[in-house]
Structure formats: structure tokens, C-alpha cells
């Protein structure tokens, strides 16, 4: 596994409010205090229109240019921080937000944050560090949750801690190497060289593998991403609806044709009874005949007599390994098509044992399987 500092692109993402110094404080903690150092190659900030003005005036450029000052002071390589890296939050109608005041504004901000983090984490050559130190608490929550949804092993989450006397000073940006006097709101003088800035690493649960591929690679709202994870975390429940000729896996219809539905019903009925289907590539007349009989019992209730007679003719010598293997593959393909990623696992017909000989069944508890019949 590669460590975050080993990636060629290293991005610091921060939601800032009216305190742009959060950015320089965090970079100082990451690049100067932390060992091994994580020196960002790029900064991306998401903020309101008022916050963006402060960021541009204080951090970008050469005067006062606090980001460049930090890099020069501690011999750090330049950090990319272009105008496009200051992302201004917008309302649903596209107008820029000067503050987050309504539920609609909050939703728009959540969607913007999650999309930004989705795009950043789509770059395999990037290590992302998300800071929770700035902005409204709700925006920090959205950033943390977005990273939990999309984060990878190389991504990190943190909060910067500044000694209390300096925390309230708008003139403090980072602990300087040489003496620099600033004043608190009540006029008390402080030397920025004496400030203590530390980073609190925040562990988080990575749920990226539980997201459907479509949400990892395409734009998604905050609500869509959350719902996708919730669906992934729901208990697995399989419903075989023989009355109406369908099957639901985790509430999702599978769209099975009669042969596949009958095959699934046969497997599921055994699984509900705590049994697996013994099947071997080696011919076994007695067992193959029993399998054919049980499968046809399920199939006969789904089709007319002519269709039933046709498949019965196909299985006149028993349900052999080829028939079993082909129908298992078709069924599992349809399950995966309806349910992406690991969520499909419990609903697949799995093999237990060596290839070509063994037992087959579902990785579901018997009580998770329901039949709806006439």
C-alpha cells in the first residue's frame, strides 16, 4: 500500500467560511509538523461568495500572500491554488451564495461538496486530505460524509487545533519562523512564533465499495449517494413470488424468465430448508433424476403444459451438470445486473466445495427467504 505522501498529486480540500487562515494552518501542520510530511501540490477550497473574497485577498497572490509566505518561510515547494480552485457555492438556480440560510441552500451545498470529492477521488494518482476546520458545521459534516462515501486507503480526514490565544486572532495564519507581533481583539500582543498548531487525525469508515459503479463514475446528489449506501446496508431479503411470476432481491425486481425463476425457486426452497444442491460434473443417474423432478415441480407452476412438456423432454435423462451450470450462470448474471457490487453477494448461487464437484446454494439465512404462492 502506498502512503499519502508518496502520491504525485496531493490535494488539500477545505470548506472555509470567513477564516481563510484555516488553509495555511492546516498546510503548516501537514507539511511542517507531521512526519512524514504531506506537502499538498494543490489546494481546493469550497466557500461562499463572501468567503471566496477573503481567500483571494489573503491567501492568493503576493500581498499579503499568506500561502506563498508559508511556503517561503519553511522552504516548501509552491502549492497550486488557482482561481478555479476557489469553488463558490451556488444555489439551485445557479446564483452564488453569500451564506447558507435555507434548507434548499444546504442541499445545494451538500451536492456541490459531494461532487467535488467524487471527482477528486476518481483520480487514482491523487491522495486527498480533507480538513474539517473551517466553515459552518453542517458543511464540515457534508465534507466528512462525502469522504466516507468516496474515500480510498490513501485519503485522510483531519481537524486542525490552534492554541487558544491565537485561534481568535484574524491576523494569525501560521506559526512563523521569526518573530512577528499581532494583537488579539482585546489588544493583547502575541508573537506568532510562539503559536502551537497541531493536527487531529480523524478515522473514518470507507464505504466506497458499497456504492454502485454509476455513482462512483457519474454525478450524484448527496441524497442519492446516501440512499445507495443505506440500500447496501439493509438486511438481505429474497422474495420468490411464484403467484405473479417474479423475484425480488433486496426489494429489486430481477426480471427472470420462467426457466430462471424456476431454477432460483428450486435453489431457494432448498436454502430455506437449510440444504444445498449437490451437483457434480460426473454423471449420477439417481441424483440427476431427482434434481430434474424437483426443478420441474417448480417450473410446471409457471408455464403452460406445452412449455412444460418441452423442458421435460430436455431433462428426460436428468438434470445434468451442463444444464445446471448454464442456468446458474444466467441467473447470477441477472442478479448482478439488478444489484451492483458486494450487495449482490447473498443473492448469487454460490459453489461450496471444489470446482466440478461440490454443493451449491445461497448465502442467506433461511428466514430471509420468502415464497409467495397460490
Amino acid at each position: 500500500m502506498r502512503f499519502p505522501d508518496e502520491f504525485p498529486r496531493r490535494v488539500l480540500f477545505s470548506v472555509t467560511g470567513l477564516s481563510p487562515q484555516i488553509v495555511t494552518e492546516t498546510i503548516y501542520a501537514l507539511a511542517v509538523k507531521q512526519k512524514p510530511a504531506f506537502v499538498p501540490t494543490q489546494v481546493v477550497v469550497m466557500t461562499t461568495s463572501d468567503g471566496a473574497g477573503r481567500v483571494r485577498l489573503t491567501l492568493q497572490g503576493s500581498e499579503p500572500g499568506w500561502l506563498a509566505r508559508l511556503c517561503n518561510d519553511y522552504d516548501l515547494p509552491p502549492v497550486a491554488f488557482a482561481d478555479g480552485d476557489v469553488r463558490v457555492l451556488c444555489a439551485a438556480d445557479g446564483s452564488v451564495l453569500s451564506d447558507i440560510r435555507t434548507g434548499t441552500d444546504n442541499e445545494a451545498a451538500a451536492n456541490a461538496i459531494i461532487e467535488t470529492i467524487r471527482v477528486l477521488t476518481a483520480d487514482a494518482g491523487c491522495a486527498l486530505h480533507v480538513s474539517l476546520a473551517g466553515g459552518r458545521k453542517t458543511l464540515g459534516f457534508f465534507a466528512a460524509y462525502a469522504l466516507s462515501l468516496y474515500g480510498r486507503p490513501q485519503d485522510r480526514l483531519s481537524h486542525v487545533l490552534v492554541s487558544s490565544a491565537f485561534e481568535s486572532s484574524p491576523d494569525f495564519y501560521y506559526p512563523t519562523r521569526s518573530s512577528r507581533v499581532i494583537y488579539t481583539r482585546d489588544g493583547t500582543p502575541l508573537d506568532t512564533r510562539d503559536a502551537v498548531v497541531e493536527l487531529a487525525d480523524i478515522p473514518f469508515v470507507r464505504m466506497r465499495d458499497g456504492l454502485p459503479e454509476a455513482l462512483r463514475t457519474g454525478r450524484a446528489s448527496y441524497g442519492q449517494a446516501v440512499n445507495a449506501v443505506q440500500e447496501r446496508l439493509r438486511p438481505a431479503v429474497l422474495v420468490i413470488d411464484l403467484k405473479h411470476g417474479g423475484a425480488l432481491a433486496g426489494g429489486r425486481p430481477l426480471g427472470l424468465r420462467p426457466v430462471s425463476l424456476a431454477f432460483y425457486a428450486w435453489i431457494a426452497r432448498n436454502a430455506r430448508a437449510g440444504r444445498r444442491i449437490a451437483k457434480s460434473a460426473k454423471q449420477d443417474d439417481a441424483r440427476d433424476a431427482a434434481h430434474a423432478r424437483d426443478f420441474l415441480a417448480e417450473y410446471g407452476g409457471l408455464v403452460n403444459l406445452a412449455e412444460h412438456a418441452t423442458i421435460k423432454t430436455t431433462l428426460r435423462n436428468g438434470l445434468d451438470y451442463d444444464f445446471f451450470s448454464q442456468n446458474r450462470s444466467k441467473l447470477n448474471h441477472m442478479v448482478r445486473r439488478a444489484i451492483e457490487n458486494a450487495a449482490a453477494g447473498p443473492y448469487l448461487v454460490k459453489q461450496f466445495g471444489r470446482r466440478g464437484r461440490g454443493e451449491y446454494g445461497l448465502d442467506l439465512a433461511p428466514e430471509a427467504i420468502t415464497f409467495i404462492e397460490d
Side-chain angles (χ1 to χ4, degrees):
M1 186 186 83
R2 296 166 67 189
F3 293 98
D5 60 287
E6 297 173 341
F7 283 76
R9 185 184 180 204
R10 301 176 299 278
V11 178
L12 169 64
F13 174 83
S14 178
V15 179
T16 65
L18 301 180
S19 301
Q21 50 264 63
I22 291 301
V23 173
T24 45
E25 291 167 354
T26 303
I27 293 177
Y28 168 84
L30 287 170
V32 179
K33 295 284 290 182
Q34 179 177 281
K35 303 299 179 189
F38 180 88
V39 183
T41 59
Q42 180 185 7
V43 172
V44 175
V45 167
M46 188 154 280
T47 184
T48 60
S49 58
D50 290 347
R54 296 196 181 200
V55 166
R56 292 185 175 115
L57 287 172
T58 60
L59 299 184
Q60 293 181 317
S62 57
E63 184 56 44
W66 284 109
L67 179 55
R69 285 194 188 190
L70 169 63
C71 293
N72 291 334
D73 208 358
Y74 286 96
D75 301 317
L76 301 176
V79 179
F81 193 28
D83 284 344
D85 294 325
V86 182
R87 316 282 176 84
V88 180
L89 293 166
C90 294
D93 63 3
S95 60
V96 297
L97 292 172
S98 60
D99 199 359
I100 310 297
R101 292 291 185 185
T102 68
T104 303
D105 292 344
N106 210 48
E107 182 180 357
N111 292 341
I113 290 169
I114 202 168
E115 175 62 9
T116 299
I117 288 181
R118 183 195 68 79
V119 171
L120 289 171
T121 54
D123 180 0
C126 169
L128 177 64
H129 192 103
V130 174
S131 172
L132 298 185
R136 288 187 177 273
K137 290 182 174 63
T138 51
L139 300 185
F141 171 83
F142 291 141
Y145 199 80
L147 189 63
S148 190
L149 289 171
Y150 288 102
R152 305 149 304 167
Q154 69 264 33
D155 301 323
R156 298 290 185 270
L157 180 68
S158 74
H159 189 286
V160 70
L161 305 172
V162 180
S163 45
S164 57
F166 295 89
E167 187 178 27
S168 60
S169 174
D171 296 320
F172 176 74
Y173 283 82
Y174 65 89
T176 52
R177 269 185 165 169
S178 57
S179 180
R180 175 175 174 262
V181 178
I182 61 174
Y183 296 88
T184 63
R185 297 182 190 280
D186 63 3
T188 303
L190 298 170
D191 192 334
T192 57
R193 185 173 55 181
D194 299 330
V196 177
V197 174
E198 296 180 343
L199 203 67
D201 185 70
I202 303 173
F204 63 96
V205 177
R206 292 164 173 82
M207 297 182 283
R208 183 183 184 89
D209 290 341
L211 286 175
E213 182 66 19
L215 293 189
R216 292 204 301 268
T217 58
R219 180 183 291 271
S221 71
Y222 181 83
Q224 286 173 323
V226 171
N227 288 337
V229 173
Q230 286 179 329
E231 184 172 322
R232 169 69 181 86
L233 297 176
R234 287 193 191 107
V237 176
L238 175 63
V239 177
I240 303 292
D241 186 355
L242 298 176
K243 182 177 181 180
H244 301 98
L248 298 173
R252 291 199 176 192
L254 299 180
L256 302 180
R257 295 175 66 86
V259 171
S260 294
L261 180 58
F263 186 84
Y264 211 10
W266 172 44
I267 299 291
R269 204 177 292 277
N270 278 273
R272 194 172 66 164
R275 298 189 300 265
R276 293 172 180 163
I277 303 294
K279 198 75 194 116
S280 170
K282 184 178 179 181
Q283 187 173 344
D284 186 330
D285 292 341
R287 182 173 288 170
D288 290 354
H291 290 338
R293 183 187 65 244
D294 293 342
F295 168 78
L296 288 168
E298 303 288 355
Y299 187 66
L302 297 172
V303 296
N304 59 39
L305 290 175
E307 291 176 288
H308 185 259
T310 299
I311 200 73
K312 187 175 181 180
T313 299
T314 300
L315 301 179
R316 61 184 178 277
N317 295 322
L319 194 154
D320 61 19
Y321 184 77
D322 287 343
F323 182 92
F324 184 92
S325 181
Q326 290 169 11
N327 280 278
R328 173 181 173 241
S329 295
K330 289 178 183 177
L331 174 62
N332 285 347
H333 173 74
M334 298 198 73
V335 171
R336 288 192 180 98
R337 189 173 68 179
I339 308 172
E340 296 187 61
N341 301 315
Y347 305 107
L348 300 175
V349 178
K350 296 181 180 178
Q351 179 178 342
F352 302 86
R354 290 183 296 167
R355 183 173 182 176
R357 56 184 302 177
E359 297 180 327
Y360 296 82
L362 302 175
D363 203 6
L364 284 169
E367 59 270 19
I369 302 171
T370 300
F371 277 81
I372 299 176
E373 305 182 71
D374 290 332

